[in-house]
Amino acid sequence: MDYANCNVVYVDRAAEKDKLVKRGDSLASTLSSSLSETKTTVSHRTSHLNANLQVLLKTFSEVHICTTGRSCIQKLNDLNPASILDRPPTIVLIDIPYHNQSHPLASRETREPSPGTKLQVDGAHEEPKPDDAYGLKLLQWVTAEIQFHSLSKLVVPVAIVAVPPKKTADATARSLSNSHTDGPVSSSLLGSDYTSLITPLDHIRTMSYLDIGAVDVLTSPLVHERLPSLGIHAYRAHREATKDRQALLEIKRGRKRSWIGINESQKPYAYLLENMVHELMDRLCKPDDYIAPPSHVAIEVSPERSELIATSIGSWRFSAHQFNDDELLHAALLMLQHALTMPEVEKWRVSTEHLTGFLVATRKAYITDVPYHNFRHVVDVLQAVFHFLVQLGRLPPYPSSNAGDPPAPSPISSLIRPFEALTLLITAIGHDVGHPGVNNAFLVQLNTPLAQLYSDRSVLEAYHCAAYSQILRHYWRPVFEDSALRKLMTSSILATDMQEHFDYIQKLGKLQEKLQVNDDVESWNGRFTEEQRSLACSLLIKCADISNVAREHQIAAQWTKILTSEFARQDEMEKHFKLTTTLFAPPVTEIIPLAKAQIGFMNMFALPLFQGVTDIMPPMKYCVDELLGNIKSWEDRISEARLQQHTTDSPTADGTLSPRSMSVAVTSDANQTQNDLRVSAMMNNSTSLINSILSKNAFTRELRDEGAPLGLYNSLPDVQKTNLCPEEDRDPTQDPNLPYFGMYSLHISIQRYLWKFRGYGTTLLETVESQY
């Protein structure tokens, strides 16, 4: 690689203006004549700039001079767009004044923040902006932009430190310069006096610049003998960028490459088959200080967008689709900062910069190629939890202008203290870390190392807990070291496993029955209280995890399309591996089956959960109202589609359920007899359960009028047939043989039966759901 072809950007405010200087150009107009400094200082700095440009132009054909951080960032973006790799490297030389500079790291040790560090909550950011950054702050900015892929890897940041002048050295330098006007000063001409001309940097100062991200540290004025090192750094950057580009091309060329990651050997599906476990174990086994938190991070959010974000996070109309990644991260930052204003959580406070670094590290742990389970979904879940807690009065009012007398909390809401509220927000941020875009059943059937590691039980959820804990370990140590917080976080993440959904619904039903008997939570024994406190947190995170179906219909419909896309990709992988599908039915995109799928998911999973949670925490009712509205909207869309097709099918009589429910399509006629027997056997095991169901007029009327769907009528025992057509409309919740919430428990039992038989009796379920 020809060094002369490298781009060189030199940042020095001693220059008069931004300009491109080429070999042979006059340097007189380059120097500034308006610096507000002493004449001696100006003379010293301009002479350094002049000498440095002469040295650089002996090796490089041209130099871009920038006077401010903003112009530097703009020039770097122009020369090396992050998305283009076939450009020459760019060496950016950043002038760092010797005096009046901070030392970000006094040593190479990783320092944890003090628990008492003041938290910035007024919206002020510690990170420099490109228009005011210079010297050390500009070096921090550039290295952070490279680290987080806002700038190309072809950018090579180098610190140039203007050392204080020595009188004797200046005199000697001037003498030598006057006698050699045809070129820069060379160390070979300086002889034994060379060391007296250059003031060496102390070790701590030099290492601190390297820790920030500089690839090299040079002293000013430059000497020609040091420039080959710049060429070496440029070559390394070019080589690494070329390797990345080749890997990218290999991925595009590979027809059967994994869409979720490939390792260096180009093995298909390596992320699933090897890397997930390898990377996790690598994190677990490394010493505590193997990752140094970034000394500086930066996110780019305009003031106008920041104001919009601040408004949006306080509304249930929040749409994660309208924000880019940096804006989503800023939203997460604002929500965490709001929670950390509570005095009860002071011990977990960290600075804004540290909190931003934690969020950036967590965002990086999500796979951007996964359509649904990515950072956007995470912020959507975080905002749902945030909104729940504000509405329940468990977080301070947001925005603060809404402050007033908080509503009296329900008995269960009162169990959620500031500690639990903060834990839920932290949990939401990491609850899907590293998600590969496939479900647990797929991993188990493929017999992946991850499934083996966790014994086929809650595989992904267990992985999220372990991987996220390591992020907290390095980027938010006070949280990681709190065993009670990590225990609650782990139990809440494990609760998001949909295989365990009905177990939690059953626990919810038992809690409702307990509250009917005794709603004085202060009289409960300590262990039971802690169990219900943990259950309340698990239920809220479960609600948040599937809350997209309870958003405004347009937002919910967009999430539906994205989720369908993710499961369509899993379907492709299952075909590649020749696996029996774990989706139970192929993903659908046509409006009628898609709408049926969403109605089925909301009726089976979302509505019972949100209704039960609303019963114990009434302010959550707005979610139930939104769900019912969405069911109606999907039914309307089915009707509209059928009018166009001139069909008369029932909107909930057949079709597949949402892939989220992991349920099957209605079975074929060939298997109908066997299905009828299974349904009959299931129901005969609980006579009281069947009699309670049949006591609903609407259900029995449908059995009678429509010829007993699934052959249920003909297979029922005689004692049940006598109850098929009662004249009075009896309310099962008033049945003295059942507890007060007996019908709710009955609902749970039916769901668990139907889950066990994986969809047998789907029509029965839809009918029961429509009533309860």
Side-chain angles (χ1 to χ4, degrees), residues 552-618:
E552 188 177 50
H553 183 69
Q554 184 177 1
I555 300 172
Q558 193 168 355
W559 282 117
T560 298
K561 293 179 181 178
I562 295 171
L563 183 64
T564 301
S565 172
E566 180 169 307
F567 277 85
R569 294 188 178 198
Q570 177 176 326
D571 183 58
E572 292 178 5
M573 285 188 280
E574 288 172 336
K575 292 175 181 177
H576 170 78
F577 284 110
K578 296 180 172 57
L579 297 176
T580 303
T581 180
T582 57
L583 297 175
F584 302 112
V588 292
T589 56
E590 296 80 7
I591 185 60
I592 292 180
L594 189 66
K596 290 179 180 179
Q598 288 308 295
I599 293 172
F601 175 80
M602 287 186 279
N603 280 332
M604 176 178 275
F605 292 95
L607 196 55
L609 174 63
F610 277 96
Q611 285 176 331
V613 170
T614 298
D615 184 68
I616 61 175
M617 291 182 267

Side-chain angles (χ1 to χ4, degrees), residues 499-736:
Q499 291 279 3
E500 308 296 324
H501 178 78
F502 294 116
D503 288 335
Y504 282 93
I505 295 294
Q506 189 173 43
K507 292 176 184 177
L508 174 58
K510 291 179 179 178
L511 175 58
Q512 290 176 292
E513 294 175 2
K514 173 68 176 180
L515 289 170
Q516 291 302 312
V517 176
N518 177 14
D519 64 355
D520 183 8
V521 296
E522 295 184 0
S523 67
W524 296 352
N525 67 61
R527 180 176 179 180
F528 183 77
T529 299
E530 289 303 316
E531 289 175 351
Q532 303 315 304
R533 195 192 314 274
S534 177
L535 175 62
C537 292
S538 295
L539 292 171
L540 285 179
I541 201 73
K542 283 179 63 61
C543 286
D545 195 31
I546 62 173
S547 63
N548 56 76
V549 297
R551 298 281 189 180
E552 188 177 50
H553 183 69
Q554 184 177 1
I555 300 172
Q558 193 168 355
W559 282 117
T560 298
K561 293 179 181 178
I562 295 171
L563 183 64
T564 301
S565 172
E566 180 169 307
F567 277 85
R569 294 188 178 198
Q570 177 176 326
D571 183 58
E572 292 178 5
M573 285 188 280
E574 288 172 336
K575 292 175 181 177
H576 170 78
F577 284 110
K578 296 180 172 57
L579 297 176
T580 303
T581 180
T582 57
L583 297 175
F584 302 112
V588 292
T589 56
E590 296 80 7
I591 185 60
I592 292 180
L594 189 66
K596 290 179 180 179
Q598 288 308 295
I599 293 172
F601 175 80
M602 287 186 279
N603 280 332
M604 176 178 275
F605 292 95
L607 196 55
L609 174 63
F610 277 96
Q611 285 176 331
V613 170
T614 298
D615 184 68
I616 61 175
M617 291 182 267
M620 294 281 289
K621 185 177 182 298
Y622 66 95
C623 294
V624 176
D625 296 338
E626 202 74 58
L627 272 167
L628 294 173
N630 276 334
I631 292 174
K632 178 65 167 57
S633 296
W634 284 115
E635 289 174 342
D636 291 343
R637 293 179 70 173
I638 291 175
S639 299
E640 292 171 3
R642 282 180 169 160
L643 284 176
Q644 294 177 357
Q645 297 177 359
H646 304 288
T647 61
T648 58
D649 295 338
S650 170
T652 55
D654 59 358
T656 59
L657 291 177
S658 167
R660 254 178 308 205
S661 69
M662 302 178 69
S663 297
V664 299
V666 174
T667 51
S668 65
D669 293 338
N671 296 322
Q672 194 65 60
T673 302
Q674 183 179 3
N675 295 343
D676 292 346
L677 293 175
R678 287 180 177 270
V679 173
S680 299
M682 174 186 74
M683 304 186 107
N684 286 334
N685 286 334
S686 179
T687 302
S688 62
L689 179 142
I690 283 299
N691 284 331
S692 297
I693 296 176
L694 297 180
S695 63
K696 267 289 188 182
N697 273 341
F699 174 67
T700 57
R701 189 179 303 114
E702 183 166 348
L703 284 175
R704 179 188 61 206
D705 295 344
E706 297 194 17
L710 298 178
L712 176 61
Y713 181 92
N714 294 329
S715 63
L716 289 173
D718 290 339
V719 65
Q720 294 174 350
K721 288 182 181 181
T722 60
N723 293 326
L724 279 176
C725 303
E727 295 298 327
E728 71 278 11
D729 184 10
R730 293 193 293 132
D731 185 354
T733 61
Q734 303 300 320
D735 189 332

Side-chain angles (χ1 to χ4, degrees), residues 400-503:
S400 57
S401 58
N402 292 343
D405 294 333
S410 67
I412 298 303
S413 296
S414 66
L415 296 179
I416 302 174
R417 304 164 299 188
F419 168 80
E420 285 77 28
L422 177 63
T423 302
L424 280 173
L425 295 176
I426 295 173
T427 299
I429 294 170
H431 81 280
D432 272 334
V433 158
H435 199 295
V438 296
N439 59 23
N440 284 330
F442 176 86
L443 296 174
V444 170
Q445 187 178 180
L446 194 57
N447 197 28
T448 61
L450 195 67
Q452 298 173 36
L453 180 65
Y454 293 115
S455 303
D456 299 343
R457 179 95 183 253
S458 297
V459 176
L460 284 172
E461 290 72 26
Y463 170 75
H464 301 325
C465 292
Y468 187 42
S469 292
Q470 297 312 301
I471 295 175
L472 292 168
R473 171 187 177 189
H474 296 290
Y475 295 93
W476 201 348
R477 182 59 68 92
V479 168
F480 174 79
E481 291 180 341
D482 193 306
S483 58
L485 192 154
R486 283 196 295 120
K487 180 180 179 181
L488 179 59
M489 180 188 76
T490 300
S491 65
S492 298
I493 292 177
L494 292 175
T496 62
D497 182 4
M498 292 302 289
Q499 291 279 3
E500 308 296 324
H501 178 78
F502 294 116
D503 288 335

Side-chain angles (χ1 to χ4, degrees), residues 44 48 98-99 160-170 190 193-203 205-206 209 217-223 226:
H44 168 62
H48 275 211
Y98 188 86
H99 298 292
I160 296 185
V161 184
V163 297
K166 293 182 179 180
K167 292 182 180 180
T168 57
D170 288 343
L190 299 177
D193 291 333
Y194 171 67
T195 56
S196 66
L197 287 173
I198 305 300
T199 303
L201 289 177
D202 60 273
H203 174 75
R205 187 187 298 268
T206 301
Y209 298 150
V217 181
L218 305 178
T219 56
S220 179
L222 298 174
V223 291
R226 287 298 310 275

Side-chain angles (χ1 to χ4, degrees), residues 366-415:
Y366 285 91
I367 304 174
T368 56
D369 289 337
V370 173
Y372 180 83
H373 290 97
N374 53 34
F375 189 69
R376 190 175 305 278
H377 162 69
V378 164
V379 176
D380 183 64
V381 172
L382 171 65
Q383 194 274 339
V385 172
F386 179 78
H387 198 268
F388 295 163
L389 294 172
V390 170
Q391 296 303 309
L392 294 171
R394 302 295 88 197
L395 283 178
Y398 185 90
S400 57
S401 58
N402 292 343
D405 294 333
S410 67
I412 298 303
S413 296
S414 66
L415 296 179

